[in-house]
Amino acid sequence: MGKKMICTSCGAEFDEELAGCPYCGSANLKGEENEYLKKLEGVREDMEGLSDDSMDELKAEMKKQGRRLGRLFLVMGIVVLVIVGIFLLSKRPDKTDYRDIYAWKQEYFPKLDALYEAGKTDELLLLYDEILTQENSAIYDWSHINFLSALIACRSVDEYLALEASEGLNDFFMTDLFQQQWRLKGIFLRKSEFTETEFELLLPYLERSEADFAVRWQMSAEDYERFEKALKENYAQSVPWNMSSEYVKKYLKEGK
């Protein structure tokens, strides 16, 4: 046995001629080099034991296999490059500046909280619109973001109904109205996410939307169950746009 060495990874003691630490598996370059040289010497001795005819056959076979291996190594090289590229991209350092995020929260969360506590929903929505124009805001970390998102959906339905009364709605707006009304139905299913006060503020919007929905769409029980299932499968947040678009096109074509 050779000299002993200390593993730089786990601190264990082992023979320096070993290729790696037997305890943690860390590589030992000196041991790997010795092992490689021993294998190389063994190959040299084997080669010396071959006859000239055997050597000629071996060279021919190696040349034949070399072409096959060349193609194989080319393919493997491309695969390795792709894997390395993906690995390097996944290991890119996170450039998020958490100090900026912290500073943003220190500036805006008190403003949002003050408007929320005072019940100033109009001003709260104006501040939210301002925040959306900023980069790297942390608005979705705010404790009342679920209520704010629900309020925006409620307001959008009211705005569509007002627009319809004054100018009418095109196909896209009609589909989005249908979408938003299903989203408001989801608020009933997610009632536990809101405080009692928040739900009371949302309730008048929800009731107006429900009344319009029942009169406007007059869905069959089968269609309603299909959309309700899709809503629940999407955690009561929304229904798929393609489903809504298909239904609204059918609704408009039939002239309901």
Side-chain angles (χ1 to χ4, degrees), residues 157-225:
V157 170
D158 272 6
E159 289 168 1
Y160 274 133
L161 297 181
L163 180 63
E164 183 180 39
S166 61
E167 302 177 18
L169 298 177
N170 60 28
D171 293 2
F172 177 85
F173 287 160
M174 189 71 78
T175 303
D176 199 41
L177 170 62
F178 184 78
Q179 281 275 111
Q180 296 300 332
Q181 288 183 322
W182 272 105
R183 186 177 179 188
L184 266 56
K185 287 178 177 292
I187 292 176
F188 283 109
L189 300 177
R190 297 184 290 114
K191 184 177 178 180
S192 60
E193 295 181 7
F194 308 98
T195 68
E196 185 176 341
T197 300
E198 288 174 345
F199 193 78
E200 287 178 358
L201 289 171
L202 297 173
L203 189 57
Y205 296 98
L206 302 179
E207 290 175 341
R208 284 197 295 273
S209 178
E210 284 290 290
D212 178 81
F213 186 96
V215 173
R216 179 188 301 273
W217 304 110
Q218 299 180 14
M219 299 182 74
S220 67
E222 182 181 357
D223 280 337
Y224 191 93
E225 288 176 4

Side-chain angles (χ1 to χ4, degrees), residues 236-253:
Q237 295 288 344
S238 64
V239 294
W241 177 269
N242 61 330
M243 284 182 63
S244 299
S245 178
E246 180 183 346
Y247 180 83
V248 172
K249 284 180 181 177
K250 177 183 175 183
Y251 164 86
L252 294 174
K253 184 177 180 180

Side-chain angles (χ1 to χ4, degrees), residues 41-87:
E41 179 63 22
V43 172
R44 186 186 67 78
E45 292 175 355
D46 291 341
M47 293 292 289
E48 289 178 351
L50 293 174
S51 64
D52 290 343
D53 291 340
S54 297
M55 285 294 293
D56 291 340
E57 292 177 4
L58 179 61
K59 288 179 181 178
E61 182 63 23
M62 289 177 65
K63 186 175 181 181
K64 180 179 178 182
Q65 295 295 332
R67 289 193 293 270
R68 296 176 182 172
L69 289 174
R71 292 193 292 269
L72 177 61
F73 287 148
L74 177 61
V75 174
M76 290 177 63
I78 294 173
V79 172
V80 169
L81 286 174
V82 171
I83 294 174
V84 170
I86 294 172
F87 176 80

